[in-house]
Structure formats: structure tokens, C-alpha cells
Amino acid sequence: MTDQSANTISFANRAAQSSQFKTIYAEGMGLVEETAAYLDGPGRAAAKVLPRMASVLYAAESMRLTTRLMQMASWLLLQRAVNNGEMSHDQVLSEKNKVRLDGFNVDRAAPGWSDLPESFRDLVERSLRLQNRISLLDREIYRPDEASIVPDNENSVQAQLNLLRTAFNAG
């Protein structure tokens, strides 16, 4: 019996070393720079004239945005290091456990959200979309068992079918 895992191609690892990763890396680092420039310049000026509720929300969301971006940048740098052979897979796994790619969600219904500068809200939205893409790539690379699980929507459909079968069979 041969070891089939030796012949298995890891599509996730190839994706992590592909142009897809390079695109996400460039986008992530660019967003970090763009956000820093905004928060130090136009964002600082805009925050000074916000209504009180929006001002408090701006301060909180700025911290969440910065934290989210730093976590994503950490993940991207770790992945680049393993791709370039600067770190082993095990070293990256050890360091990666310190990185949070979940959470930091936004309450768009919070009082003052609509008063925040549009350019700030755009940075928040773009960071959330990028966070989702990086989280998906992380699952594909580091937790392949979770990535191969049937998507929730299929589970939901199956659950509904089972409920219907149960209802009709019980009657």
C-alpha cells in the first residue's frame, strides 16, 4: 500500500504562493498605508468636527480598524515568510496562533454611524472584505478539514429537507 498523501497536490499551498496571494498581500499592505495616511491627515481633521456620539464611535472604530489591519498584516507577513523560505511551516503555525482574523465586526446600526465620514466608512468596509478573504485563505491553508466541510447553506437545505420528511412522515 502506498502513501497517497505523498502524491496529493495541495491547492491551498499553491494558492498561497500564487498571484492570488500576491494580490491580497499588495491590497492588504496598501490598505494599511492608506488607512494610516487617512487617520493621520484628513481623518484627524474630520474627527474634530463630528457630533459627540459620532466622535466617540469614530474613536472606537478607528481602534478596531487599526487592530484589524495589524492582525491581517501580521498574517500576510507570516505567509510571505513561509512562501519565501524564511520560516518553516511549524514556525509560522506557532506565530500564527497569536494572530486573530475573526471578530472586530462593525455595528452599522450604532448611533452616529451615518455621521462618520464616508471615506472612513469605506476604509472600514474594505478592511472587512479583505479580512473575510484572508480568513478564507487561512482556513484553506491551515485548517483544510474545516475548508472541506459542507457549506452551511447545504447543511441548512439538508436540515429543512429532513424537517419536511419528518413532518410528512409523522402525519
PDB file of all heavy atoms in Angstrom, residues 9-25 75 79 83 136-138 140-141:
ATOM      1  N   ILE A   9      -1.664  16.864  -4.227  1.00  0.00           N
ATOM      2  CA  ILE A   9      -1.292  18.250  -4.519  1.00  0.00           C
ATOM      3  C   ILE A   9      -2.083  19.151  -3.581  1.00  0.00           C
ATOM      4  O   ILE A   9      -3.298  19.047  -3.496  1.00  0.00           O
ATOM      5  CB  ILE A   9      -1.606  18.616  -5.983  1.00  0.00           C
ATOM      6  CG1 ILE A   9      -0.791  17.743  -6.927  1.00  0.00           C
ATOM      7  CG2 ILE A   9      -1.347  20.090  -6.238  1.00  0.00           C
ATOM      8  CD1 ILE A   9      -1.193  17.881  -8.383  1.00  0.00           C
ATOM      9  N   SER A  10      -1.380  20.045  -2.909  1.00  0.00           N
ATOM     10  CA  SER A  10      -2.056  20.967  -2.010  1.00  0.00           C
ATOM     11  C   SER A  10      -2.419  22.234  -2.782  1.00  0.00           C
ATOM     12  O   SER A  10      -1.568  23.078  -3.039  1.00  0.00           O
ATOM     13  CB  SER A  10      -1.162  21.323  -0.824  1.00  0.00           C
ATOM     14  OG  SER A  10      -1.767  22.352  -0.083  1.00  0.00           O
ATOM     15  N   PHE A  11      -3.685  22.327  -3.164  1.00  0.00           N
ATOM     16  CA  PHE A  11      -4.136  23.509  -3.893  1.00  0.00           C
ATOM     17  C   PHE A  11      -4.072  24.756  -3.022  1.00  0.00           C
ATOM     18  O   PHE A  11      -3.795  25.838  -3.499  1.00  0.00           O
ATOM     19  CB  PHE A  11      -5.550  23.299  -4.438  1.00  0.00           C
ATOM     20  CG  PHE A  11      -5.595  22.267  -5.525  1.00  0.00           C
ATOM     21  CD1 PHE A  11      -6.127  21.014  -5.292  1.00  0.00           C
ATOM     22  CD2 PHE A  11      -5.094  22.557  -6.777  1.00  0.00           C
ATOM     23  CE1 PHE A  11      -6.154  20.064  -6.296  1.00  0.00           C
ATOM     24  CE2 PHE A  11      -5.116  21.615  -7.794  1.00  0.00           C
ATOM     25  CZ  PHE A  11      -5.644  20.355  -7.550  1.00  0.00           C
ATOM     26  N   ALA A  12      -4.310  24.586  -1.722  1.00  0.00           N
ATOM     27  CA  ALA A  12      -4.265  25.733  -0.812  1.00  0.00           C
ATOM     28  C   ALA A  12      -2.863  26.312  -0.751  1.00  0.00           C
ATOM     29  O   ALA A  12      -2.686  27.532  -0.825  1.00  0.00           O
ATOM     30  CB  ALA A  12      -4.733  25.318   0.576  1.00  0.00           C
ATOM     31  N   ASN A  13      -1.851  25.447  -0.630  1.00  0.00           N
ATOM     32  CA  ASN A  13      -0.485  25.965  -0.572  1.00  0.00           C
ATOM     33  C   ASN A  13      -0.086  26.604  -1.893  1.00  0.00           C
ATOM     34  O   ASN A  13       0.618  27.605  -1.908  1.00  0.00           O
ATOM     35  CB  ASN A  13       0.491  24.849  -0.186  1.00  0.00           C
ATOM     36  CG  ASN A  13       0.395  24.512   1.285  1.00  0.00           C
ATOM     37  OD1 ASN A  13      -0.017  25.334   2.082  1.00  0.00           O
ATOM     38  ND2 ASN A  13       0.760  23.293   1.630  1.00  0.00           N
ATOM     39  N   ARG A  14      -0.543  26.023  -2.992  1.00  0.00           N
ATOM     40  CA  ARG A  14      -0.265  26.649  -4.288  1.00  0.00           C
ATOM     41  C   ARG A  14      -0.952  28.008  -4.380  1.00  0.00           C
ATOM     42  O   ARG A  14      -0.385  28.957  -4.900  1.00  0.00           O
ATOM     43  CB  ARG A  14      -0.702  25.758  -5.432  1.00  0.00           C
ATOM     44  CG  ARG A  14       0.229  24.599  -5.620  1.00  0.00           C
ATOM     45  CD  ARG A  14      -0.103  23.852  -6.875  1.00  0.00           C
ATOM     46  NE  ARG A  14       0.852  22.785  -7.000  1.00  0.00           N
ATOM     47  CZ  ARG A  14       1.415  22.430  -8.135  1.00  0.00           C
ATOM     48  NH1 ARG A  14       1.096  23.044  -9.235  1.00  0.00           N
ATOM     49  NH2 ARG A  14       2.286  21.459  -8.176  1.00  0.00           N
ATOM     50  N   ALA A  15      -2.182  28.105  -3.883  1.00  0.00           N
ATOM     51  CA  ALA A  15      -2.901  29.380  -3.898  1.00  0.00           C
ATOM     52  C   ALA A  15      -2.169  30.416  -3.071  1.00  0.00           C
ATOM     53  O   ALA A  15      -2.107  31.589  -3.433  1.00  0.00           O
ATOM     54  CB  ALA A  15      -4.325  29.199  -3.382  1.00  0.00           C
ATOM     55  N   ALA A  16      -1.594  29.965  -1.948  1.00  0.00           N
ATOM     56  CA  ALA A  16      -0.887  30.894  -1.070  1.00  0.00           C
ATOM     57  C   ALA A  16       0.382  31.427  -1.716  1.00  0.00           C
ATOM     58  O   ALA A  16       0.879  32.482  -1.334  1.00  0.00           O
ATOM     59  CB  ALA A  16      -0.548  30.206   0.247  1.00  0.00           C
ATOM     60  N   GLN A  17       0.920  30.706  -2.693  1.00  0.00           N
ATOM     61  CA  GLN A  17       2.137  31.148  -3.359  1.00  0.00           C
ATOM     62  C   GLN A  17       1.848  31.727  -4.746  1.00  0.00           C
ATOM     63  O   GLN A  17       2.753  32.050  -5.492  1.00  0.00           O
ATOM     64  CB  GLN A  17       3.102  29.968  -3.468  1.00  0.00           C
ATOM     65  CG  GLN A  17       3.562  29.480  -2.121  1.00  0.00           C
ATOM     66  CD  GLN A  17       4.436  28.254  -2.210  1.00  0.00           C
ATOM     67  OE1 GLN A  17       4.848  27.840  -3.274  1.00  0.00           O
ATOM     68  NE2 GLN A  17       4.719  27.666  -1.064  1.00  0.00           N
ATOM     69  N   SER A  18       0.601  31.868  -5.065  1.00  0.00           N
ATOM     70  CA  SER A  18       0.195  32.287  -6.405  1.00  0.00           C
ATOM     71  C   SER A  18       0.032  33.796  -6.516  1.00  0.00           C
ATOM     72  O   SER A  18       0.253  34.543  -5.571  1.00  0.00           O
ATOM     73  CB  SER A  18      -1.147  31.631  -6.731  1.00  0.00           C
ATOM     74  OG  SER A  18      -2.151  32.208  -5.917  1.00  0.00           O
ATOM     75  N   SER A  19      -0.421  34.184  -7.681  1.00  0.00           N
ATOM     76  CA  SER A  19      -0.716  35.602  -7.900  1.00  0.00           C
ATOM     77  C   SER A  19      -1.875  36.046  -7.015  1.00  0.00           C
ATOM     78  O   SER A  19      -1.972  37.218  -6.664  1.00  0.00           O
ATOM     79  CB  SER A  19      -1.017  35.864  -9.369  1.00  0.00           C
ATOM     80  OG  SER A  19      -2.145  35.135  -9.776  1.00  0.00           O
ATOM     81  N   GLN A  20      -2.765  35.094  -6.640  1.00  0.00           N
ATOM     82  CA  GLN A  20      -3.869  35.432  -5.729  1.00  0.00           C
ATOM     83  C   GLN A  20      -3.314  35.965  -4.408  1.00  0.00           C
ATOM     84  O   GLN A  20      -3.768  36.989  -3.902  1.00  0.00           O
ATOM     85  CB  GLN A  20      -4.739  34.208  -5.466  1.00  0.00           C
ATOM     86  CG  GLN A  20      -5.839  34.448  -4.444  1.00  0.00           C
ATOM     87  CD  GLN A  20      -6.503  33.160  -3.943  1.00  0.00           C
ATOM     88  OE1 GLN A  20      -6.028  32.059  -4.209  1.00  0.00           O
ATOM     89  NE2 GLN A  20      -7.582  33.324  -3.219  1.00  0.00           N
ATOM     90  N   PHE A  21      -2.318  35.271  -3.866  1.00  0.00           N
ATOM     91  CA  PHE A  21      -1.724  35.736  -2.606  1.00  0.00           C
ATOM     92  C   PHE A  21      -1.024  37.069  -2.814  1.00  0.00           C
ATOM     93  O   PHE A  21      -1.155  37.981  -1.995  1.00  0.00           O
ATOM     94  CB  PHE A  21      -0.738  34.711  -2.024  1.00  0.00           C
ATOM     95  CG  PHE A  21      -0.021  35.261  -0.818  1.00  0.00           C
ATOM     96  CD1 PHE A  21      -0.681  35.364   0.399  1.00  0.00           C
ATOM     97  CD2 PHE A  21       1.275  35.723  -0.911  1.00  0.00           C
ATOM     98  CE1 PHE A  21      -0.050  35.916   1.499  1.00  0.00           C
ATOM     99  CE2 PHE A  21       1.909  36.268   0.183  1.00  0.00           C
ATOM    100  CZ  PHE A  21       1.260  36.364   1.396  1.00  0.00           C
ATOM    101  N   LYS A  22      -0.288  37.184  -3.904  1.00  0.00           N
ATOM    102  CA  LYS A  22       0.432  38.441  -4.165  1.00  0.00           C
ATOM    103  C   LYS A  22      -0.542  39.603  -4.263  1.00  0.00           C
ATOM    104  O   LYS A  22      -0.261  40.702  -3.780  1.00  0.00           O
ATOM    105  CB  LYS A  22       1.273  38.311  -5.433  1.00  0.00           C
ATOM    106  CG  LYS A  22       2.438  37.364  -5.258  1.00  0.00           C
ATOM    107  CD  LYS A  22       3.174  37.149  -6.559  1.00  0.00           C
ATOM    108  CE  LYS A  22       4.253  36.091  -6.336  1.00  0.00           C
ATOM    109  NZ  LYS A  22       4.703  35.482  -7.556  1.00  0.00           N
ATOM    110  N   THR A  23      -1.696  39.364  -4.859  1.00  0.00           N
ATOM    111  CA  THR A  23      -2.721  40.406  -4.969  1.00  0.00           C
ATOM    112  C   THR A  23      -3.264  40.785  -3.594  1.00  0.00           C
ATOM    113  O   THR A  23      -3.380  41.970  -3.262  1.00  0.00           O
ATOM    114  CB  THR A  23      -3.867  39.930  -5.885  1.00  0.00           C
ATOM    115  OG1 THR A  23      -3.329  39.644  -7.181  1.00  0.00           O
ATOM    116  CG2 THR A  23      -4.962  40.964  -5.989  1.00  0.00           C
ATOM    117  N   ILE A  24      -3.584  39.772  -2.786  1.00  0.00           N
ATOM    118  CA  ILE A  24      -4.099  40.037  -1.436  1.00  0.00           C
ATOM    119  C   ILE A  24      -3.045  40.731  -0.592  1.00  0.00           C
ATOM    120  O   ILE A  24      -3.351  41.655   0.161  1.00  0.00           O
ATOM    121  CB  ILE A  24      -4.589  38.733  -0.766  1.00  0.00           C
ATOM    122  CG1 ILE A  24      -5.870  38.250  -1.441  1.00  0.00           C
ATOM    123  CG2 ILE A  24      -4.814  38.922   0.727  1.00  0.00           C
ATOM    124  CD1 ILE A  24      -6.373  36.910  -0.935  1.00  0.00           C
ATOM    125  N   TYR A  25      -1.797  40.308  -0.718  1.00  0.00           N
ATOM    126  CA  TYR A  25      -0.706  40.917   0.029  1.00  0.00           C
ATOM    127  C   TYR A  25      -0.589  42.402  -0.323  1.00  0.00           C
ATOM    128  O   TYR A  25      -0.547  43.263   0.553  1.00  0.00           O
ATOM    129  CB  TYR A  25       0.617  40.193  -0.258  1.00  0.00           C
ATOM    130  CG  TYR A  25       1.772  40.748   0.519  1.00  0.00           C
ATOM    131  CD1 TYR A  25       2.041  40.305   1.803  1.00  0.00           C
ATOM    132  CD2 TYR A  25       2.591  41.736  -0.027  1.00  0.00           C
ATOM    133  CE1 TYR A  25       3.103  40.838   2.528  1.00  0.00           C
ATOM    134  CE2 TYR A  25       3.639  42.269   0.684  1.00  0.00           C
ATOM    135  CZ  TYR A  25       3.902  41.816   1.963  1.00  0.00           C
ATOM    136  OH  TYR A  25       4.939  42.360   2.684  1.00  0.00           O
ATOM    137  N   TRP A  75      -0.565  38.386   9.541  1.00  0.00           N
ATOM    138  CA  TRP A  75      -0.809  37.125   8.831  1.00  0.00           C
ATOM    139  C   TRP A  75      -0.136  37.145   7.459  1.00  0.00           C
ATOM    140  O   TRP A  75       0.515  36.178   7.060  1.00  0.00           O
ATOM    141  CB  TRP A  75      -2.307  36.873   8.691  1.00  0.00           C
ATOM    142  CG  TRP A  75      -2.605  35.513   8.149  1.00  0.00           C
ATOM    143  CD1 TRP A  75      -2.832  34.374   8.861  1.00  0.00           C
ATOM    144  CD2 TRP A  75      -2.691  35.143   6.757  1.00  0.00           C
ATOM    145  NE1 TRP A  75      -3.056  33.323   8.007  1.00  0.00           N
ATOM    146  CE2 TRP A  75      -2.967  33.757   6.709  1.00  0.00           C
ATOM    147  CE3 TRP A  75      -2.552  35.820   5.563  1.00  0.00           C
ATOM    148  CZ2 TRP A  75      -3.114  33.066   5.521  1.00  0.00           C
ATOM    149  CZ3 TRP A  75      -2.689  35.131   4.367  1.00  0.00           C
ATOM    150  CH2 TRP A  75      -2.974  33.766   4.362  1.00  0.00           C
ATOM    151  N   GLN A  79       2.807  34.650   6.145  1.00  0.00           N
ATOM    152  CA  GLN A  79       2.629  33.821   4.956  1.00  0.00           C
ATOM    153  C   GLN A  79       3.721  34.116   3.935  1.00  0.00           C
ATOM    154  O   GLN A  79       4.244  33.201   3.302  1.00  0.00           O
ATOM    155  CB  GLN A  79       1.242  34.047   4.346  1.00  0.00           C
ATOM    156  CG  GLN A  79       0.901  33.063   3.272  1.00  0.00           C
ATOM    157  CD  GLN A  79       0.952  31.629   3.752  1.00  0.00           C
ATOM    158  OE1 GLN A  79       0.402  31.293   4.791  1.00  0.00           O
ATOM    159  NE2 GLN A  79       1.638  30.779   3.017  1.00  0.00           N
ATOM    160  N   ASN A  83       6.406  31.443   2.429  1.00  0.00           N
ATOM    161  CA  ASN A  83       6.482  31.324   0.971  1.00  0.00           C
ATOM    162  C   ASN A  83       7.908  31.543   0.467  1.00  0.00           C
ATOM    163  O   ASN A  83       8.339  30.918  -0.490  1.00  0.00           O
ATOM    164  CB  ASN A  83       5.558  32.330   0.281  1.00  0.00           C
ATOM    165  CG  ASN A  83       4.098  31.986   0.425  1.00  0.00           C
ATOM    166  OD1 ASN A  83       3.737  30.915   0.894  1.00  0.00           O
ATOM    167  ND2 ASN A  83       3.240  32.910   0.047  1.00  0.00           N
ATOM    168  N   LEU A 136     -10.622  33.191   4.816  1.00  0.00           N
ATOM    169  CA  LEU A 136     -10.909  32.040   3.965  1.00  0.00           C
ATOM    170  C   LEU A 136      -9.619  31.361   3.511  1.00  0.00           C
ATOM    171  O   LEU A 136      -9.486  30.137   3.577  1.00  0.00           O
ATOM    172  CB  LEU A 136     -11.744  32.471   2.752  1.00  0.00           C
ATOM    173  CG  LEU A 136     -12.096  31.376   1.757  1.00  0.00           C
ATOM    174  CD1 LEU A 136     -12.935  30.286   2.425  1.00  0.00           C
ATOM    175  CD2 LEU A 136     -12.851  31.965   0.584  1.00  0.00           C
ATOM    176  N   LEU A 137      -8.655  32.146   3.094  1.00  0.00           N
ATOM    177  CA  LEU A 137      -7.367  31.601   2.669  1.00  0.00           C
ATOM    178  C   LEU A 137      -6.674  30.908   3.842  1.00  0.00           C
ATOM    179  O   LEU A 137      -6.105  29.826   3.683  1.00  0.00           O
ATOM    180  CB  LEU A 137      -6.490  32.710   2.083  1.00  0.00           C
ATOM    181  CG  LEU A 137      -5.195  32.289   1.404  1.00  0.00           C
ATOM    182  CD1 LEU A 137      -5.457  31.294   0.282  1.00  0.00           C
ATOM    183  CD2 LEU A 137      -4.467  33.515   0.863  1.00  0.00           C
ATOM    184  N   ASP A 138      -6.767  31.484   5.021  1.00  0.00           N
ATOM    185  CA  ASP A 138      -6.182  30.883   6.220  1.00  0.00           C
ATOM    186  C   ASP A 138      -6.792  29.507   6.488  1.00  0.00           C
ATOM    187  O   ASP A 138      -6.082  28.542   6.763  1.00  0.00           O
ATOM    188  CB  ASP A 138      -6.393  31.803   7.427  1.00  0.00           C
ATOM    189  CG  ASP A 138      -5.833  31.213   8.697  1.00  0.00           C
ATOM    190  OD1 ASP A 138      -4.595  31.153   8.838  1.00  0.00           O
ATOM    191  OD2 ASP A 138      -6.633  30.801   9.562  1.00  0.00           O
ATOM    192  N   GLU A 140      -8.232  27.544   4.324  1.00  0.00           N
ATOM    193  CA  GLU A 140      -7.830  26.629   3.257  1.00  0.00           C
ATOM    194  C   GLU A 140      -6.419  26.100   3.469  1.00  0.00           C
ATOM    195  O   GLU A 140      -6.140  24.935   3.205  1.00  0.00           O
ATOM    196  CB  GLU A 140      -7.914  27.321   1.896  1.00  0.00           C
ATOM    197  CG  GLU A 140      -9.327  27.592   1.447  1.00  0.00           C
ATOM    198  CD  GLU A 140      -9.394  28.417   0.167  1.00  0.00           C
ATOM    199  OE1 GLU A 140      -8.320  28.778  -0.380  1.00  0.00           O
ATOM    200  OE2 GLU A 140     -10.507  28.703  -0.286  1.00  0.00           O
ATOM    201  N   ILE A 141      -5.525  26.943   3.966  1.00  0.00           N
ATOM    202  CA  ILE A 141      -4.129  26.553   4.144  1.00  0.00           C
ATOM    203  C   ILE A 141      -3.909  25.777   5.441  1.00  0.00           C
ATOM    204  O   ILE A 141      -3.281  24.729   5.443  1.00  0.00           O
ATOM    205  CB  ILE A 141      -3.212  27.796   4.135  1.00  0.00           C
ATOM    206  CG1 ILE A 141      -3.259  28.471   2.773  1.00  0.00           C
ATOM    207  CG2 ILE A 141      -1.770  27.417   4.502  1.00  0.00           C
ATOM    208  CD1 ILE A 141      -2.597  29.834   2.749  1.00  0.00           C
TER     209      ILE A 141
END
